[in-house]
């Protein structure tokens, strides 16, 4: 497949995934706001924080959760044991469909992903609403059953598609590498040891990355630094703050990992690659960095002044009082780190050879230990806000490693994609002015002075956002052209 075709398919996958995530988050946003009125924050904390996923870990840690760790009061959180078992089972079901998901992602099966995830999320949300309204006393049974339904529908969609697709004329026309469903099942008679060693390297990396990504949850659980109620508030704020990361940054990271892996050859230096492909990859990387940087800066600047208002609208005084607003303000800064790290790591992981992956695993091992220690001490010092500060430190180190790799990779060429991390000085000035204006607006108009004052606060933010957007259009013309030509072109054509 030509590089330009790969770019077109990748941007289509990323934009479709982002649109899908937006629709899902709108639905789940409303659903969560609805369920918060029916359920306690202790129950939400148990659901979102206490149950890890995995096959082996589902069995092993399921026993730990049931017999070694603190079990919540049944009068507050009923059916805890059944919830642990159900979430572990749902993890096993999802992992059964993981090879099919990877195959679909690698071959850019956009429609399959959209349909499968749409059906599974709609099924889960529908059942959740029905059970919450009719049987709120079921507690964890509600989330357990809906999670099992989600995993089952998702896997069934992938299985049905590949059973019908493999061996079909369409698969033959596309020269699809797999011809039978049996080929997707484990085969122990033949092992490609080179690929097996690379897979093992990525497995170790994924394990360490899991600690870096979800490490604070293990600190919460095993060291008992927060009670169930505080864990629930933290996780609600975490889910709310990560909306942009999930429906924009994650689709970009997943899709463009495939792009870079297809355009550039893993393990080769920049001089040994096709120079046209290098030029395209460098240009795309630079523009992606600029895109996520501006999104992250916008979230950071405007998120600070509107965190309390957002939480008050979303969950009422349960979230807008106490540590909730400070958590979301810190998370707004963390989103900026997430934005940059996602793109830099997707390029780095797409190009690393086995030896480089192994070296990076040692770095991640040391970083994992440091992160867990910092999480513990910062939480003791500053409560749940400490977890987000520790995550910022974690992401900062990972960004430094990835940017160093990118700099070394392109230093023997004329391309400098890291310039995408440098916004124009005038745009930076507009961001600073917007942050100051909205900060003063929050002090004078939000959030206990009535709805009229809130509307004034929202209007001030809208004006500042409009000024920021206009500045972006005037100063970042290359980026605007990239977004229009690659991400929005097919939607603009449909509208004409």
């Amino acid at each position: 497949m030509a590089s330009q075709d790969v770019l077109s398919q990748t941007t289509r996958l990323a934009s479709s995934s982002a649109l899908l995530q937006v629709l899902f988050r709108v639905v789940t946003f409303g659903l969560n706001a609805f369920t918060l009125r029916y359920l306690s924050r202790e129950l939400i904390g148990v659901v979102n924080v206490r149950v890890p996923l995995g096959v082996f870990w589902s069995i092993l840690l399921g026993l730990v959760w049931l017999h070694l760790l603190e079990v919540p009061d049944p009068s507050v959180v009923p059916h805890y044991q059944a919830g642990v078992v159900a979430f572990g089972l749902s993890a096993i079901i999802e992992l059964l469909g993981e090879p099919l998901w990877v195959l679909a992602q690698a071959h850019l099966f956009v429609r399959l992903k959209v349909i499968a995830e749409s059906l599974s999320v709609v099924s889960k949300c529908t059942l959740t609403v029905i059970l919450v309204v009719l049987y709120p006393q079921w507690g964890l049974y509600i989330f357990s059953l809906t999670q099992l339904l989600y995993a089952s529908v998702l896997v069934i969609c992938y299985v049905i598609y590949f059973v019908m697709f493999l061996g079909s004329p369409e698969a033959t026309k596309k020269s699809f590498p797999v011809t039978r469903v049996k080929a997707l099942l484990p085969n122990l008679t033949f092992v490609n040891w080179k690929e097996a060693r690379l897979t093992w390297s990525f497995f170790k990396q994924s394990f360490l990355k899991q600690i870096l990504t979800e490490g604070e949850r293990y600190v919460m659980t095993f060291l008992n630094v927060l009670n169930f109620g505080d864990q629930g508030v933290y996780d609600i704020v975490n889910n709310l703050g990560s909306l942009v990361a999930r429906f924009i940054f994650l689709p970009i990271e997943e899709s463009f990992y495939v792009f870079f892996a297809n355009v550039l050859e893993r393990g080769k230096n920049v001089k040994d690659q096709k120079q046209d492909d290098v030029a395209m990859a460098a240009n795309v990387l630079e523009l992606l960095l600029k895109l996520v940087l501006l999104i992250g800066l916008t979230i950071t600047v405007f998120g600070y002044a509107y965190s309390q208002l957002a939480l008050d609208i979303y969950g009422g005084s349960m979230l807008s009082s106490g540590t909730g607003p400070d958590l979301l303000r810190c998370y707004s800064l963390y989103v900026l780190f997430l934005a940059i790290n996602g793109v830099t790591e997707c390029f780095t992981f797409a190009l690393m050879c086995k030896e480089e992956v192994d070296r990076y695993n040692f770095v991640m091992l040391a970083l994992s230990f440091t992160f867990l220690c910092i999480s513990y001490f910062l939480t003791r010092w500053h409560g749940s806000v400490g977890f987000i500060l520790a995550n910022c430190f974690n992401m900062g180190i990972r960004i430094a490693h990835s940017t160093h790799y990118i700099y070394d990779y392109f230093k023997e060429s004329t391309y400098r994609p890291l310039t995408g991390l440098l916004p124009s000085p005038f745009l930076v000035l507009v961001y600073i002015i917007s942050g100051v204006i909205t900060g003063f607006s929050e002090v004078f108009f939000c959030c206990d002075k009535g709805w009229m004052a809130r509307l004034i606060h929202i209007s001030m933010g809208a004006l500042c956002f409009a000024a920021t957007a206009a500045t972006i259009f005037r100063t970042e013309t290359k980026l605007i052209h990239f977004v229009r030509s690659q991400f929005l072109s097919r939607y603009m054509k449909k509208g004409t």
Side-chain angles (χ1 to χ4, degrees):
M1 188 181 293
S3 299
Q4 189 61 46
D5 293 335
V6 175
L7 177 59
S8 299
Q9 290 291 327
T10 301
T11 52
R12 182 187 174 200
L13 176 61
S15 57
S16 298
S17 299
L19 179 61
L20 184 65
Q21 290 293 332
V22 170
L23 295 176
F24 288 169
R25 296 308 157 189
V26 169
V27 174
T28 53
F29 181 91
L31 176 64
N32 289 336
F34 174 76
T35 55
L36 282 173
R37 270 67 178 178
Y38 284 81
L39 304 172
S40 67
R41 69 178 189 174
E42 286 78 11
L43 179 57
I44 301 294
V46 171
V47 171
N48 290 328
V49 178
R50 301 289 286 192
V51 186
L53 300 178
V55 175
F56 173 75
W57 295 110
S58 292
I59 298 172
L60 178 62
L61 292 182
L63 296 174
V64 172
W65 257 246
L66 289 173
H67 300 291
L68 296 181
L69 297 181
E70 175 191 1
V71 176
D73 186 352
S75 63
V76 178
V77 183
H79 317 303
Y80 177 77
Q81 290 78 8
V84 172
V85 174
F87 272 79
L89 181 59
S90 70
I92 296 174
I93 294 173
E94 282 197 62
L95 286 174
L96 291 174
E98 192 73 10
L100 303 179
W101 181 89
V102 171
L103 194 61
Q105 185 78 2
H107 290 273
L108 304 174
F109 288 176
V110 180
R111 185 176 301 176
L112 170 60
K113 181 177 181 178
V114 170
I115 293 175
E117 295 193 7
S118 298
L119 289 176
S120 56
V121 170
V122 169
S123 302
K124 178 181 179 179
C125 292
T126 302
L127 184 60
T128 301
V129 170
I130 293 173
L131 294 180
V132 165
V133 172
L134 297 181
Y135 306 103
Q137 71 277 8
W138 281 16
L140 277 179
Y141 275 148
I142 297 174
F143 296 99
S144 303
L145 292 174
T146 55
Q147 181 65 25
L148 283 171
L149 178 66
Y150 169 85
S152 301
V153 172
L154 185 65
V155 173
I156 288 172
C157 287
Y158 277 97
V159 170
I160 291 175
Y161 179 86
F162 278 102
V163 167
M164 298 175 62
F165 176 76
L166 296 180
S168 67
E170 182 183 359
T172 305
K173 182 180 178 181
K174 292 183 177 181
S175 300
F176 199 72
V178 181
T179 58
R180 297 181 301 167
V181 177
K182 186 179 179 180
L184 297 173
L185 300 177
N187 181 10
L188 301 179
T189 59
F190 172 75
V191 176
N192 185 320
W193 290 108
K194 181 179 179 181
E195 293 183 359
R197 286 191 291 270
L198 182 61
T199 302
W200 173 244
S201 297
F202 275 112
F203 172 79
K204 291 184 290 184
Q205 183 187 94
S206 300
F207 178 79
L208 294 171
K209 192 174 180 180
Q210 169 69 13
I211 295 177
L212 292 175
T213 305
E214 303 287 345
E216 75 273 12
R217 299 174 186 267
Y218 296 105
V219 173
M220 284 183 197
T221 299
F222 290 104
L223 300 181
N224 200 28
V225 292
L226 298 178
N227 58 43
F228 283 119
D230 289 339
Q231 289 182 40
V233 172
Y234 173 85
D235 209 74
I236 293 169
V237 172
N238 179 64
N239 289 335
L240 182 62
S242 64
L243 285 176
V244 175
R246 291 180 181 181
F247 66 64
I248 294 181
F249 300 151
L250 184 59
I252 289 176
E253 180 181 348
E254 290 178 346
S255 303
F256 281 91
Y257 171 87
V258 177
F259 167 75
F260 292 126
N262 277 277
V263 170
L264 300 176
E265 190 170 344
R266 183 186 298 275
K268 282 189 176 182
N269 61 45
V270 70
K271 288 185 176 180
D272 296 333
Q273 306 277 3
K274 294 180 180 179
Q275 293 308 300
D276 289 343
D277 293 343
V278 172
M280 175 178 288
N283 183 58
V284 170
L285 178 58
E286 177 185 347
L287 293 172
L288 284 179
L289 287 172
K290 182 63 66 68
L291 174 63
V292 298
L293 174 70
L294 296 184
I295 295 174
L297 282 173
T298 303
I299 297 297
T300 300
V301 170
F302 290 94
Y304 183 87
Y306 290 88
S307 293
Q308 185 176 1
L309 178 61
L311 290 176
D312 193 61
I313 295 173
Y314 183 57
S317 59
M318 184 185 80
L319 297 181
S320 61
S321 60
T323 61
D326 289 336
L327 276 173
L328 193 55
R329 290 187 183 105
C330 290
Y331 207 100
S332 299
L333 174 63
Y334 179 49
V335 166
L336 177 60
F337 286 89
L338 284 174
I340 300 172
N341 180 71
V343 173
T344 55
E345 278 197 349
C346 92
F347 179 86
T348 302
F349 292 159
L351 273 294
M352 276 183 173
C353 63
K354 177 189 176 301
E355 290 73 20
E356 290 170 326
V357 172
D358 287 336
R359 286 197 298 269
Y360 185 55
N361 286 341
F362 284 107
V363 175
M364 293 188 73
L365 180 62
L367 183 57
S368 300
F369 176 77
T370 305
F371 169 65
L372 293 176
C373 293
I374 289 177
S375 296
Y376 176 77
F377 288 113
L378 285 179
T379 305
R380 288 292 187 187
W381 170 60
H382 214 286
S384 52
V385 173
F387 282 126
I388 300 179
L389 297 177
N391 275 317
C392 290
F393 168 81
N394 161 35
M395 286 296 169
I397 298 298
R398 289 165 63 177
I399 290 170
H401 175 272
S402 298
T403 52
H404 178 71
Y405 179 91
I406 294 170
Y407 175 80
D408 282 346
Y409 185 83
F410 286 101
K411 69 181 179 181
E412 296 182 355
S413 71
T414 58
Y415 307 107
R416 298 294 180 264
L418 290 178
T419 56
L421 294 175
L422 301 174
S424 69
F426 183 67
L427 179 58
V428 173
L429 178 62
V430 172
Y431 273 123
I432 293 174
I433 294 174
S434 297
V436 172
I437 292 175
T438 55
F440 277 107
S441 175
E442 182 185 32
V443 172
F444 289 106
F445 300 111
C446 190
C447 288
D448 56 352
K449 298 177 176 63
W451 276 103
M452 184 58 65
R454 292 186 179 192
L455 290 175
I456 296 175
H457 181 47
I458 294 173
S459 300
M460 296 292 292
L463 291 173
C464 291
F465 179 79
T468 304
T471 306
I472 291 174
F473 272 84
R474 290 183 61 87
T475 60
E476 304 294 345
T477 55
K478 187 179 178 182
L479 174 63
I480 298 302
H481 174 73
F482 175 72
V483 172
R484 282 178 171 173
S485 61
Q486 297 298 333
F487 288 95
L488 304 178
S489 58
R490 64 194 186 99
Y491 301 110
M492 295 170 68
K493 288 177 182 177
K494 287 180 182 179
T496 56

